[in-house]
Amino acid sequence: MSQVNRLPDGGRIDRDQSLAFTFNGRRLTGYAGDTVASALLANGVRIVGRSFKYHRPRGIVGAGPEEPNALLQLETGGRALPNQQATRVELYDGLSADSVNCWPGPDFDLMSGIGLFHRLTPAGFYYKTFMWPASFWKYYEHVIRRAAGLGRAPTAPDPDHYDKMNAHCDVLVVGGGPAGLAAAAAAAASGARVILADDQPELGGRLLSERAEIDGGPAMDWAAAAEAAIAGTEDAIVLKRTTAFGYYDHNFVGLIEQRGAILPDGGDRSRQRIWRVRAKQVVLATGAIERPLIFADNDRPGVMLAGAVRSYVNRYGVAPGKRVAVFTNNDDAYRTALDLADAGVAVAVAAVVDVRHDPSGDLVTQAMARGIEIVDGAAVTGVQGSRGVRGIEVMGLNEAGDGVTGAARDIECDVICSSGGWNPAIHLHSHAGGKATFDAERGIFLPGETLQAATSAGAAAGTFDLAGCVDGGAEAGKAAAAQAGYKKSPRRKNPKIATEDEAPLRLIWTVPTTAPTGRRGKHFLDQAHDVTAADVQLAAREGYRSIEHAKRYTTLGMAPDQGKTGNIPGMAVLGQALGVDNVGDVGTTTFRPPFTPVTLGALAGRDVGPLMDPVRMTPIHHWHELAGCTWEDVGQWKRPWYYPKDGEDMHTAVSRECKAVRDAVGILDASTLGKIDIQGPDAAEFLNRVYTNAWTKLGNGRCRYGLMLGEDGMIMDDGVTTRLADDHFVMTTTTGNAASVLEWLEEWLQTEWPELKVFCTSVTEQWANATICGPRARDLLAECTDIALDAESFPFMSMQDATVAGIPARIFRISFTGELSYEINVPASCGLSLWTALINAGDKYGITPYGTETMHVLRAEKGYIIVGQETDGTTTPQDLGMDWIVSAKKDFIGRRSFAREDNQRDDRKQLVGLLTDDPSTVLPEGAQITETRLERPPPGSTVPMIGHVTSSYHSPNLGRSFALALVKRGRERIGENVYLPLDGGVARAEVTGPVFVDPEGSRIDG
Amino acid sequence: MASAPRMSKYSIFSLVRNALAYHEGWEQVWRSPEPKPEYDVIIVGGGGHGLATAFYLAKEHGITNVAVIEKGWLGGGNTGRNTTIIRSNYLWDESAGIYEKSLQLYEGLSQELNFNIMLSQRGVLNLAHNLHDMRELERRVNANRLNGIDSEILSTAEIQDFIPIINTSPKSRYPILGGSLQRRGGTARHDAIAWGFARGADQRGVDIIQQCEVTGIRQSRGKVTGVETTKGLIKAKTVGVVVAGHSSVLAGMAGFRLTVNSYPLQALVSEPIKPVLDTVVMSNAVHVYVSQSDKGELVIGAGIDGCHGYTQRGSLHVIEGQLGALCELFPIFSRLRMMRQWGGIVDTCPDASPIIGKTPVGGLYFNCGWGTGGFKATPGSGWAFAHTLANGEPHPLNAPFTLDRFTTGKLIDEHGAAAVAH
Amino acid sequence: MVDPYLRQSPLAHLHLDARAANDADLVGAGLRLSERAHLGMINVRGVAADPAFAPAFKKATGVELPTAANTTAGKADGVHAIWLGPDEWLVITPPGREHALADKLRAATKALHAAVTVTGEARTVIRVAGANARDAIAKGCPLDLHPRVFGPGQCGQTILGRADMLIHQTALDRKSGAPSYDVFVLRSFAEYAWTWLEDAGREYGVQVVAAKG
Amino acid sequence: MLLIPCPFCGEREESEFHQGGEAHIERPKNPDKLSDAEWADYLFLRDNKKGLYLERWVHRHGCRRWFNVARDTATNEIKTVYKMGAKPPRGLTKGRAK
Ligand SMILES: Cc1cc2nc3c(=O)[nH]c(=O)nc-3n(C[C@H](O)[C@H](O)[C@H](O)COP(=O)(O)OP(=O)(O)OC[C@H]3O[C@@H](n4cnc5c(N)ncnc54)[C@H](O)[C@@H]3O)c2cc1C
Ligand SMILES: NC(=O)c1ccc[n+]([C@@H]2O[C@H](COP(=O)([O-])OP(=O)(O)OC[C@H]3O[C@@H](n4cnc5c(N)ncnc54)[C@H](O)[C@@H]3O)[C@@H](O)[C@H]2O)c1
Ligand SMILES: Cc1cc2nc3c(=O)[nH]c(=O)nc-3n(C[C@H](O)[C@H](O)[C@H](O)COP(=O)(O)O)c2cc1C
Ligand SMILES: [Zn+2]
């Protein structure tokens, strides 16, 4: 049998289902129910990787999310998953895993030479060196970067997908150990909606790893019954393989569920799902995480957590070694000794080394009875074997616990089970602002005051006996349900659980050896980042006295395991180095989400690819698409940019479209413009306040252009508003601002002027808008409608209801191009019909669909602005020469700001036109303008600028280029030259007025 | 006054020497003095800006009877939680001036401080996803170049060459149309900035007093006389307040209000991986930015949270949104995992520019409003603020950034350049 | 009145009728989707506190004004009213009846501070039914749709993925007992919402069904 | 991730809302009578309080109504919500940043 460490029987694995996998190319087998870690251990693999900084050989330490060392690269290509904790990956057939951070492999790693220089590379050494010569840092950095990092990113896009589920419940229970099961069962029994989430494939928590009994039978039988009871209640959701990763404000908890049958491949389902849970009450039954004892060379492969070894023996049927020593400061680790002793002949317990004198609890007595040697009042002072434990050196511990006494004794062993006590997993409690209180006796942090509707139960609350966990869990579940409004709870009987008497632990934070810490072997606190007790002591010595400084200086707790095993010992080492009385006063670093790393793609969910953001489509969208337009993104809308005919480039297409509008007729889909229906007796007064010009006297059926300012006096939006009746207007806004303008209007109405009787309703999408534009527009429209269209009957800036192509329509005679123009609005569902009718009827007039680019050229030729292009949040109406639209007679939003000093400056930038010397030069939009001819300066020196180009095009109508610009004192400069330093040299341009075509406005009537 | 306590220099030689002595000979990077009853200048806030101010006060102006008062641990505010992006490609002349000064100081800072701040000038690329973005970039690049700041436009193809793993597909929801690149931009090790300035200031005699919160600002006849702290009253006739997210709180103590609003700004890091991204990439339109640290994590951020707050944590939906954008831009990041997320408290100004200068109270100066983007300004801001404190008048570099500009209307609107945080 | 053949629903290009015919024999799909195109909709604003308003509304529409938050009144396949806010309602009519009803509403509220706007063109309605309707929607909607909280006749304005949605639980499905929802989205978002729902439903099986109007 | 009780629709997720800054900033009745400094005060100067903070929210993706929220910006605890135009509930008054 190749699984040399597999016990002959026992465990929760399925020995009938053998699974093949590879590790660093080696073919191995394990069983269904194994994790990669248990399978590797079963196969006798000891070295699973190399350490981050010193490239020391490392083995498996834990059996869960606390694992610092066994971070593997899973699979390859697009399915690669770096840095996976072997202890959390369920084995599957065909799995392929590799070690990270070593080359060519963990057994022989070329970088291990680095370890020789370890004395030169204490915490933070890089801050002190690599500075000379200054210019060399980039080479040093290159080397540092290559050396750092762990696994490798996938090399192809993710073939899997992810999704999310919003969920609500009365009681969310996190953790499905005895406490969580009891809590969930109690809450569910009361009728509350319960969600129970546990990160393991099976519920039971620690019970999966222990030989505990409840009601006289295996505790897992009790767990199975509890699970069935919960799952059996209406509305309960039980989520396995689901980790609560973050606890956020107002009882919002993020869970991540693994859904694919195997970790790296979701199959047809989403690989992982984020549950966004809003709970009325939360019970945190997340258990506790064992912490190691910090002794010299405690990172050698074979040094493991005692509780983890119990998991391997009891849950996975694996004995990680043949001769196991236990090193403990508490009674719980004796369970490991007992379980190993009971595991059969394959494994022997070398000894229990206990830092306490005369340990005395029930478990100790049992161990003695089993004939296990107990070396009390002793310390492990050294580990033999650099590539794997071969034995330990043990010496007596002095009274104070800070020195060793007596003679050294060697004990042969290949595994060391280390236990320094258990830390309640208060991570989630702390995420959302919960306090932690220090229990100095036990050296642990307990959940304190919380800002959330939450309680902790079981080991997470510092209750370590099983009976207490079950009882406390049930109480917490019942209380949570009651808080959520489910007061009635059925009577339950407490299960019978025998409790062993356990003696207190003895806190020894760093286990002394024969030399000061750091001089003989390394005492690792954070194996993932290679942080030692000496590093933390150095930090303290150098003045990084705050735990937060020490963390950042040494990188303690900053690796993917986030210091689940090392943080608390690290804090204590710092406390001792600083000489504080109560190490708890040093405090913890801040617990932050996620509890364990969360896939970025899962957090993105389905908001990627085609669903990344909605594509907003007008009713005519698909016509444009068939016509082969190119699109411009405007907010979420797609708008036709231009319509290239076969072989046309943008320039040719746009020129053709521009000519068509000025010479014949063009048609534009303007459906995206914002439209707001404004009704009520105070509607005109309201417009007076939000626009710069006056609205009271506007006649019914008449249209007026308006500028909207922010209260800071800067232009915010513009558009045409039409009076439909005395108390009824319809406002148009720019496409991009449609939603924000409506919200702005509502804000003023609701918060500032509730006395105004006005209602606003968005009708943007109620109407499709086809705008026909050009000298033949009237002829075209006449074919489709019966109303009189001559300039007198239907004058510029007016509106009429009519039927166009059989469709009821609102026609607005307004123009953004200076040409005769009709904006025909029809019910959106008729938009496409209208459009095709106009296209067909317009054929004989040479109708040409045009896009936003042509629209921009044509409006610029007329000097019409685009908000966001000619304006940038610092532009006033006066800057644009639009004083004419600013009423002096009334107050309006923004008016007071004009009077401020800066708006009175005489060198403000003003809107002007520019004509380059060379008519073929189209200036880049955004080009900067200088007063005199200046080249671009060399880096480090500057050239004064007087403005910039806002819009710039080639105009087929002018037969040349032209531009609009904002230029200091621009209007005074008309007729003068300015300069534009560009990539290819300096261009010269003459300043002109901003209107290039038809300044008299004679074309407006066709 | 307090002479330099220790002057040992960091170098490869000192490293070797100390290694032989088991690193027991290293001196404290800074002392932990008890506050004196009075100082010439008090700086409230031991973030990068406050410490830089103290350093330049001592170094450039010879004013060393200075206390920096920090309520927590130095560098623990936004300085300790930012995404470390450094660049100077701002639009307006005023901003270009101070940010470029800052970048220049950064370029010599490791040597000046004798502390490796790991300035990594790997380039900062701003992406454009629509025509409006493109125009804005073009405008800024042109302005930068006339302001002597290196800046260039990259086409989509050039971007693909530059960053092979980026998704430039024209089929993506918001295709990349181009970008602007400042090659001198990059990142630096944020903690090192705080520690290096602290060490430099301390060596020159500045008292850095941590775990000491300012609880009141004493005034007499319109002039500041000192600050009340959790360690008692400390007097000074010149007080500079540099407390970022807490600026309004301090202004409240002094009896006036500011134009800043404090918001959570979040960031997160992925687990560490081998180098895949050698540039800082930012996108306003899809709202995300990312770089890879020397240690291997992807450092990822986006815009501020939606509502005011002093909680130093934010809302998950903001993170969810930014990661959608990230996975669109970098499809190979989808399977990587978030290792840690956190928040800072940023003090945003209506025009996305800072306030550095006088206040209604004589002798009391504020330096705040850096919002989402003041890390890059740390040395420049400290340099200019030190000048202001030393002379009682602003330096021309910070003269435009007055509180008064909100009265006159002379705002310096950097929303375009300030981007999604940075 | 416009000829119906001139009108196109925002999902017309997806040829849902053909797909429905195709899917007619599908069994076991957990999600059933259809477009209820061209429903008449009237946006009504008014002052709920004005004692004359509710009666005027009732008189014109024949439906009680729903004043309790997140509730509706009337029959989901006839004229009904949906609460949108404290002074805002959406009146739904069978196709083609909205203008006449809007005129009646205008007349009835003439003397009051009210606004009546026909807005049905701006939206379409996707009916989401089947055993997994709630699950599919819950993938992108933060509302608690659990039957204890959100029952037949209830409504809410909220979010679906990245689009705004008005959701109305019309009935419990007669066959499965599962709730069925009308999801109102702006027409420009219709394709997004449809695609989104189909994608959300993939794991449950999606059947396109013919609209019943 | 706040859960905000819209006074009209009930408790809803933060992502449905938009915060509109400090509450109870009234537009001056007669802007022309104000000095530039007073105008700037109205436009830009804010309490930005740490602790109990009165702010305006709009239920953007819901009923589109604006309302006031009294929230502790140091803990995110929402003390109460109240309608526009209403005075802050007793004991929850406006004040400077503390
Ligand atoms: C997530 C995030 C990402 C960012 N990314 C970037 C980026 O990529 N590039 C960039 O340029 N900028 C970035 N920034 C902004 C940048 O971090 C800040 O502008 C900058 O660090 C501010 O430095 P500071 O020294 O002014 O403030 P801080 O570092 O915040 O220092 C202020 C100090 O004042 C102390 N203090 C407060 N109140 C008191 C009191 N009453 N008494 C005594 N002390 C007090 C605080 O404890 C704190 O230490 C980011 C910010 C965040 C939060
Ligand atoms: N004697 C001792 O020293 C000692 C110390 C600690 C624990 N224990 C024993 O351990 C058990 C504790 O019971 P319990 O129920 O409190 O804890 P548990 O450890 O049995 O169960 C906790 C469960 O929560 C899961 N979990 C943890 N964090 C999670 C998260 N963020 N999301 C999802 N799931 C998460 C874990 O995987 C585990 O399944 C008892 O049997 C107790 O006796 C004993
Ligand atoms: C640029 C940068 C890189 C970081 N890298 C890591 C990291 O690799 N590992 C880690 O645990 N935290 C990392 N952090 C986050 C810090 O641990 C911490 O969360 C942050 O400084 C905020 O402090 P707080 O969480 O203690 O409040 C990083 C922070 C920054 C600003
Ligand atoms: Zn609401």
Side-chain angles (χ1 to χ4, degrees), chain A residues 766-767 808 827, chain C residues 1-2 7 40-42 93-106 116-121:
Chain A
Q766 173 73 9
W767 302 95
Chain C
M1 201 42 260
V2 193
R7 303 184 66 193
M41 294 177 210
I42 306 161
T93 77
R97 285 179 43 199
E98 63 272 24
H99 288 284
L101 187 58
D103 288 343
K104 274 168 95 177
L105 268 164
R106 280 190 201 103
V116 175
T117 315
V118 172
T119 55
E121 297 284 336

Side-chain angles (χ1 to χ4, degrees), chain A residues 119 248 264 541-542 598 609, chain B residues 23 29 294 328 335 338 341:
Chain A
R119 295 241 320 253
Y248 303 88
R541 196 177 308 130
E542 288 198 75
V598 176
Chain B
H23 298 290
V29 262
D294 285 347
E328 273 294 291
R335 292 168 89 82
M338 166 168 89
Q341 67 171 111

Side-chain angles (χ1 to χ4, degrees), chain A residues 249-250 711 747 750 895, chain D residues 1 27 32 56 66 76:
Chain A
D249 284 317
H250 297 183
E711 193 70 287
E747 180 174 1
Q750 292 178 34
R895 195 188 62 94
Chain D
M1 199 75 153
R27 187 171 199 263
D32 291 338
R56 294 192 322 193
W66 285 87
N76 276 341

